[in-house]
Amino acid sequence: MDIKSYLSGFADGEGCFSISLNKSKRHLLKWEIRPSFSVSQNSVRAEVLELFKKIFRCGSIRPDKSDNTLKFECRSIQDLVEKVIPHFEKYSIISKKREEFKLFAEVCRMMYRKEHLKKEKFNKILELAEKINKLGKKKYPRNKIKV
């Protein structure tokens, strides 16, 4: 079995591509955009998380107290664009999550090019982020954010 295809399949079921927003006094537009790829698993099966870390050569593994699991997570824009996104472009996710991945990749690449620092591009990122994880809780819905 090809381990990289296996990881994509695993992420298809247990992974999450998300974009979070946080108020910030230190950012130009007063908002921080934080893309994240993560995969959760219970501690007795943590070896798969170690595999993500080894294959991607980035990220970290930490306890997630919200559901008593361990989580592999990558938040670095550079690592997301140069390592994580190319993996999933080569070893595709096949569920509907693939559409979320494409939006996630677009946001990450925009941020990599520093486009999020311009008001009009920031608003475009907000539009894209709103389409990702539509069912997830949003601390700051897009219509509440003013830039």
Side-chain angles (χ1 to χ4, degrees), residues 88-102:
F88 288 108
E89 288 175 334
K90 185 171 182 178
Y91 304 94
S92 296
I93 285 175
I94 60 174
S95 76
K96 190 168 173 93
K97 191 180 286 187
R98 185 174 186 195
E99 296 308 311
E100 290 180 352
F101 164 73
K102 288 178 182 180

Side-chain angles (χ1 to χ4, degrees), residues 29 115-124 147:
L29 298 175
E115 293 176 19
H116 63 293
L117 302 175
K118 300 174 184 143
K119 188 176 179 179
E120 65 280 357
K121 296 293 185 174
F122 180 91
N123 288 325
K124 173 68 174 170
V147 291

